[in-house]
Each structure stands twice: as structure tokens, then as C-alpha cells.
Amino acid sequence: MTLGIRYAARSDVGMLREGNEDSAYAGSYLLAVADGMGGHVGGEIASAAAIEELRKLDTELPAPELLAALENTVRTANDNLHRIVESDPSLQGMGTTLTAMLWAGDQVALVHIGDSRAYLLRDGSLYQITHDHTLVQSLVDEGRISPDEAASHPQRSLLLRALDGRGEVDPDLSLRDAKVGDRYLLCSDGLSGVVTAETIFQVLTDTGEPEQAVRQLIDLANRGGGPDNITCVVADVVELGGPPPRPGQGHAVGAAASASPPDPAGGSPGQDTPARRAAQLRDTMPQPPVAVDEMPPPQAAAPPQMNPGVTRPDPAPRRTRGGGMRRWTWLIVVAGVAVVGIGAVAFVVLQNVRSGYYIGQENGTVVLYRGTTQKVPGLSLSRRAKNQPNPPITVADLPQDRQVAVRAKYEVKGPGAVDDLRAQVCRHAVVESGGKLEIVRGRKQQNCKESKVAGSQVAIAELPTDDAAKVRSGALAFPSRQQAEQKLAELTEHRDQCRSAAATIKNCPGGEGHR
């Protein structure tokens, strides 16, 4: 049975925005949504550039290559954004979210960074299969605020991770199984921030065709005020009755629909570059709209007619400039209070974030940090904790899955996580192999792959009997290679003493000394 997808994609500017900073792509093998940021022009360029790079993956790939292909392409897209900003510094600060799915039969790879979302409708239940990279989501994860509080939090739009070209990109990557009947939704926060999950579930359940679903979801977001651009991609997993679809038959929507397709030939004076594509995209931007009043302004009211013989009272004096100053003074005071209040909230949030813990590595050694793994331009959200692992933990001595986690950095509840990590260290043991001593790592340890670290010419038969017994029992195991090497050097010294004519060590083989 060959699986494929039937899809639809749409993007809408919403009710309040002047331009569309969202981009999306839907094809036979690739679905992607990007929500740009950094101003009207910068946001559109960033999201379109990301989608333009991702759409190259809309081709048939072997399932084992999906994750690597996605990760490499996302890094290339991030590098492209860096080059665009280098060529046009006025675009500094632009960036984009990115949520994309790459398909190969019943396998689908998912990459995610930012606060766009992916949902899965399966067997009558709706699942959110991405995790928002926002400040408020990190506070919810740590139990510091509730999901209800997060919905109205003043910092709910603050992204902690995005594709912005400023450094190494750190997306979430996962591989999932797909089955016939699954329905997937990728969307920008212009939908998920306005339409509830319950309503999204109802629409995805009740509508038959993907095109009908995306239209209805966008309509609901606009009815809810449409405060942001709205982009939706809906795809149904189906059984293909014929040959696999041809690659590259999809289409882009939103800002990406205005971007020039990539030029495969390079090196000519008119070659396709990120900067050139940015300029082309800017040239196609819609001009600022001209304000048109729906109704003419009201005419000034005529002065009231007075009865004969009645003196018209003097008109009220005009407000003097001093009164205007007082009004502005009050406005400034109110604005100042608001700024102070927002600043106080931001300070409290920042302090809460900095009080967390996470584990990472420096120079191959495990490091405990205070703060969060997330990054916010211009803000320091982490620092080295005061108490570090002692003795140090070498990353290479951990099981493979722990090595990956430490290098990627992960949040923990407190310093006690270091002890948990130390308990998983693949220990170095002095053992006997072929009659000689050697150092191995990970012997008889769960999740540790046994490997030889160092050999020696020390024969176990030449050791004092109590040393030989410890080697054979496996008692000489140590957390670090250095400790194991020190023990091996000590055993070598014992062997040499036993060989000496004036041996002082006890329990040497063959009597007091071994000559």
C-alpha cells in the first residue's frame, strides 16, 4: 500500500494588517508554514526566503534521509537570512517561524521552530504535535503560570527561538508514522491565537475536503477579529491508486507566492542570491493603502437661532495653550505608568526565567546553567551555576542518547539532575583480557556500548594475589578514564615491585618476590 497526501493551502492578510508576512507551501512531499517578523518588509522577506529554500525538498526521498534533509535545509535557510541582512542592514531584526513536514510513504519528518503549529486529527482526537518556543510556554512548562494565564499574558508573543540568521539554529526534529485517515493542519498563530482548539477540532472533523477546511478556518479567524495574518495548510493521508506523484507540483501562498523561484544555474552576473531575491520581493510589495472615509465628515452645526431681544451669551473661551499642556502632561504620566508597569512585569518574568536550570556542555565537559536554553536578542537569559559537577563529567563518557541531549541542552528541575546524570556515566574499568590488563568503558552497563580504551603489557599473573582478585571480580571500575589510568599505573608499580629482588609488597606470586 502506497500512501500519499491530498492537500490545500491558503493565506489571508487578516483584518488589521497592511501586508501579509506569512508564507506557506504545499506539495506532494512537503508542507510548510512560516510566519515572518521584523516589520512589514522584513517579515515578508524572511518567511518567503525560508519557504523558497524548503520547497526544494518537494521531491521523493528515502525515509532514512528525511530528518537529515530537513535539518540541513533549515540551516541553509538560516544562512540565507544572514546573507540577506548582511547585504541590506536595514533588514536587521527580521526573522521567521517555521513548521514543516516532509513525507516518504508512511513516514513523515517534522521540523519546528517558533510558535506556528502542527496538529494531527487521528481516530476522532486532535493532537498538537509541536511545542511553542515562547516565553509564556516555558513558564507553563515550569509550572509558574497556568495555560489560562498564558492566554492573556502580556509577553505571550515573545519568541525564544526563531529562524533569524543570527547564529546556529536549533529546531525541534522528529520522525512520525502516518496512516490512512490522518488529517494534518499546519498554521500560523493568526489562526491558533484566535480560534480555540475545540473549534479547530470541530472544523477538521466536520469538513470533507482540505480546501473547504482551510477556507472555513480562515473565515473563523477573521470573524474573531483577524488581528494577524492567517495561514493554513490542511493535508489528508490517503492511499494512492496509481504511481507516486511527480515532485515539485505544489504551490506557495502568502509572501512566498511573490518570491522568484530558485535559479538552479549559478555563477552568472544575474545569478539567484538571497539578497537579489529579497530585492525582488520588496519590489513587488503592495504600496501603503490610501485611507478612504466610508462617510463624509460631519458638517459644523449652525449657531442656534436666538429670539429677538435676547442677548446671546458670550461663547465659551477657547482652551488656552496651557490647558493643552496639562492634557499632554497627564497623557505622559499615564504612558509612563504603563511603561513602568510593563517593565515591572517583564522584570519579574525575566527573573523567573533566569531562576531555572538546564544542562549543557563546554569543551567536552558537562556544565550546569541557571536560566533557560531559549534565546532572546539583547537579553541574557542564562549563566553558569555556582556549583558545577565535581569531579567533572566528560560528555564522551555518557551513553549516546545522553551525549546528544547534553550537547543539545535540556532543562532540569535543579542541581540534583547532575547526580542523576553522573549515575549514568559509562564507567572505566581495569579488566583482564588474554592474560593482560586493559581499560574498557561501559562493561556490563545498560545503554553503554563496551569499548576498549587502553591496553598494557601487565600480565595479571604477575600481580599480587589480592590485586588480581579485584581485577577478576570487576571491582576496579571508576567514573573517569583518568582514575582508571591511575589505578593501572598503581598495578604496574605493584607488578614491578614483585619483580624486584628486594620486594616489600605482600602476596606476590611465587613468594615474597618474583625473580
Side-chain angles (χ1 to χ4, degrees):
M1 179 174 65
T2 304
L3 300 186
I5 53 174
R6 186 172 65 243
Y7 54 83
R10 282 192 172 271
S11 187
D12 190 89
V13 72
M15 304 300 290
L16 301 182
R17 296 295 180 94
E18 294 181 357
N20 195 346
E21 298 178 45
D22 285 1
S23 293
Y25 180 86
S28 300
Y29 300 96
L30 177 73
L31 309 174
V33 167
D35 182 355
M37 58 190 179
H40 177 47
V41 174
E44 296 189 23
I45 292 175
S47 69
I51 292 298
E52 182 179 346
E53 188 65 35
L54 262 291
R55 69 186 296 171
K56 298 174 184 178
L57 292 177
D58 189 18
T59 186
E60 190 172 5
L61 292 173
E65 298 180 11
L66 294 179
L67 282 175
L70 265 183
E71 183 175 16
N72 292 336
T73 304
V74 169
R75 296 192 188 284
T76 301
N78 194 55
D79 293 341
N80 288 345
L81 294 185
H82 177 74
R83 286 191 288 271
I84 290 172
V85 173
E86 276 192 331
S87 65
D88 187 351
S90 68
L91 296 174
Q92 185 71 40
M94 76 173 184
T96 183
T97 70
L98 180 64
T99 302
M101 306 181 84
L102 185 60
W103 298 77
D106 63 351
Q107 296 290 295
V108 55
L110 172 65
V111 65
H112 170 70
I113 186 166
D115 65 348
S116 296
R117 289 183 178 179
Y119 293 91
L120 165 63
L121 179 68
R122 172 179 286 178
D123 298 332
S125 297
L126 182 67
Y127 306 91
Q128 181 181 331
I129 57 175
T130 54
H131 198 69
D132 294 348
H133 297 146
T134 58
L135 179 62
V136 294
Q137 184 61 55
S138 70
L139 296 177
V140 171
D141 294 342
E142 295 169 7
R144 299 181 183 177
I145 63 174
S146 68
D148 290 339
E149 291 171 324
S152 59
H153 197 282
Q155 304 295 325
R156 62 186 177 278
S157 298
L158 180 60
L159 284 180
L160 298 181
R161 272 197 267 173
L163 208 64
D164 56 15
R166 295 179 185 172
E168 286 296 318
V169 63
D170 184 24
D172 293 341
L173 288 156
S174 60
L175 190 65
R176 310 179 65 89
D177 294 324
K179 67 178 188 178
V180 174
D182 286 349
R183 170 167 280 190
Y184 289 88
L185 164 67
L186 275 62
C187 65
S188 63
D189 65 343
L191 176 73
S192 58
V194 178
V195 181
T196 65
E198 290 79 7
T199 302
I200 292 175
F201 167 73
Q202 199 67 44
V203 171
L204 294 179
T205 301
D206 293 346
T207 53
E209 294 299 318
E211 177 68 25
Q212 181 186 1
V214 295
R215 287 179 179 273
Q216 190 168 337
L217 289 170
I218 289 175
D219 182 58
L220 287 170
N222 277 324
R223 290 185 185 182
D228 200 353
N229 307 143
I230 313 152
T231 300
C232 301
V233 176
V234 172
D236 292 340
V237 180
V238 298
E239 183 177 355
L240 297 177
R246 290 189 300 168
Q249 298 298 308
H251 66 282
V253 297
S258 304
S260 301
D263 183 4
S268 63
Q271 71 179 15
D272 183 58
T273 65
R276 181 168 176 264
R277 294 195 295 270
Q280 291 173 336
L281 181 60
R282 175 183 283 140
D283 292 342
T284 64
M285 295 296 177
Q287 297 300 311
V290 178
V292 178
D293 290 329
E294 294 182 352
M295 298 179 63
Q299 297 181 354
Q305 300 296 320
M306 307 301 294
N307 292 330
V310 177
T311 303
R312 178 180 297 172
D314 290 334
R318 291 184 178 180
R319 185 179 294 272
T320 64
R321 180 168 291 186
M325 288 296 294
R326 286 193 295 272
R327 181 174 70 246
W328 282 108
T329 300
W330 277 107
L331 288 174
I332 292 171
V333 170
V334 171
V337 170
V339 169
V340 170
I342 293 173
V345 170
F347 176 78
V348 171
V349 169
L350 188 59
Q351 291 302 107
N352 284 339
V353 169
R354 284 177 171 172
S355 65
Y357 290 88
Y358 70 92
I359 285 177
Q361 66 91 28
E362 290 181 12
N363 301 320
T365 302
V366 173
V367 176
L368 179 66
Y369 295 92
R370 296 298 304 272
T372 176
T373 59
Q374 316 301 344
K375 296 179 181 178
V376 177
L379 290 178
S380 175
L381 297 182
S382 69
R383 63 193 185 279
R384 286 174 66 106
K386 183 177 181 181
N387 297 320
Q388 291 298 316
N390 188 20
I393 302 173
T394 302
V395 176
D397 290 341
L398 294 169
Q400 187 62 36
D401 61 332
R402 292 293 84 199
Q403 291 186 37
V404 172
V406 169
R407 291 192 176 100
K409 302 176 184 176
Y410 64 98
E411 295 181 353
V412 296
K413 292 183 178 180
V418 171
D419 297 330
D420 296 337
L421 195 62
R422 191 183 300 282
Q424 300 179 60
V425 167
C426 298
R427 299 171 70 82
H428 292 73
V430 180
V431 300
E432 178 263 336
S433 177
K436 304 286 187 180
L437 299 188
E438 64 180 25
I439 298 175
V440 299
R441 181 176 59 199
R443 172 164 290 190
K444 298 180 180 179
Q445 279 187 268
Q446 188 176 6
N447 300 325
C448 292
K449 183 179 180 180
E450 182 175 331
S451 60
K452 179 179 177 179
V453 175
S456 79
Q457 294 302 313
V458 179
I460 192 170
E462 295 182 292
L463 292 178
T465 55
D466 53 348
D467 285 344
K470 290 178 181 178
V471 171
R472 292 190 176 100
S473 69
L476 302 183
F478 306 92
S480 70
R481 174 174 178 171
Q482 182 182 8
Q483 291 171 297
E485 288 175 340
Q486 290 173 350
K487 175 54 70 173
L488 180 58
E490 179 184 317
L491 295 176
T492 302
E493 184 179 349
H494 290 178
R495 186 275 314 267
D496 293 343
Q497 289 185 24
C498 284
R499 284 179 170 180
S500 171
T504 58
I505 194 168
K506 297 180 180 180
N507 301 321
C508 288
E512 290 295 322
H514 184 67
R515 300 173 179 84

